[in-house]
Amino acid sequence: MKIAPSILAADLADLASAVKQCEDGGARLIHVDVMDGHFVPNLTFGPPVIADLAKRSRVGFDIHLMVSNPEVLLDRYLDTEPIRVSFHHEATRAPARLAARIRGRGVGAGAAINPGTGLDQLLPYLEHLDHVVLMSVQPGFAGQAFQPHVLDKARQLRAAAEARGLFTSIEMDGGIKPGNLDEVAAAGVDVAVVGSGVFAAESPAEALAALRRQANE
Ligand code: DX5
Ligand code: ZN
């Protein structure tokens, strides 16, 4: 399993150092949480911030759009040339079309679902997705408690994808720490997003390296 550090939990006045800490810890993907103050009650990174940060990073970005009307700003985020982008299922009525736009730019397309949203909602368009983000906290803030019922969703999603011959990558986001990382891996998750578990540590690079070892990345 891969660990994707989430820079939302870093010192937001020093994002370039946060990227450097991710690189030093061996990250192969950096999770970037985009919030619009509408879909979630918090506001973070616009496209110009991500574009400048990407220039400083040797590691590619995993952009998580927690925004209403993701179709409006999608292209500007795609212009930052991330590795993968996810939109929220709850925020759009045309998920398959959005996923096709992301794939059309050569970027991995994902849909994210809140802890309370059923997996059945995204199964009808699963073949249009490269990955699914299973939120294990309510989106909006780092540092919340992990909701263990989401582990069942990962197992069910893995089974549903396999039954359809799909290689959907499963990402889990929120509240992941060394204490629950083994359970997350055992549920079939491919990418574990970790925010405060990395950046609240005295040495984020060392904390990330330790998590990556624990996850056999
Ligand atoms: C929550 C974000 C997460 C968050 C994870 O809305 O999507 O990516 O940064 O942070 P932790 O690991 O602290 O829950
Ligand atoms: Zn996220």
Side-chain angles (χ1 to χ4, degrees), residues 31 33 64 66 173:
H31 187 84
D33 287 307
H64 176 194
M66 285 162 275
D173 184 8

Side-chain angles (χ1 to χ4, degrees), residues 6 8 31 33 35 64 66 135 139-143 173-175 193 195-196:
S6 166
L8 176 68
H31 187 84
D33 287 307
M35 305 187 187
H64 176 194
M66 285 162 275
M135 293 304 301
F141 300 91
D173 184 8
V193 176
S196 44

Side-chain angles (χ1 to χ4, degrees), residues 9 17 23 39 66-67 71 74 83 92 96 100 126 130 132 135 144 150 157-158 165 193-195 197:
S17 295
E23 288 177 355
F39 181 73
M66 285 162 275
V67 303
E71 49 284 335
L74 179 64
I83 293 179
T92 178
L126 194 59
D130 298 298
V132 168
M135 293 304 301
Q144 304 178 73
V150 178
L157 175 55
R158 176 61 65 220
V193 176
V194 184

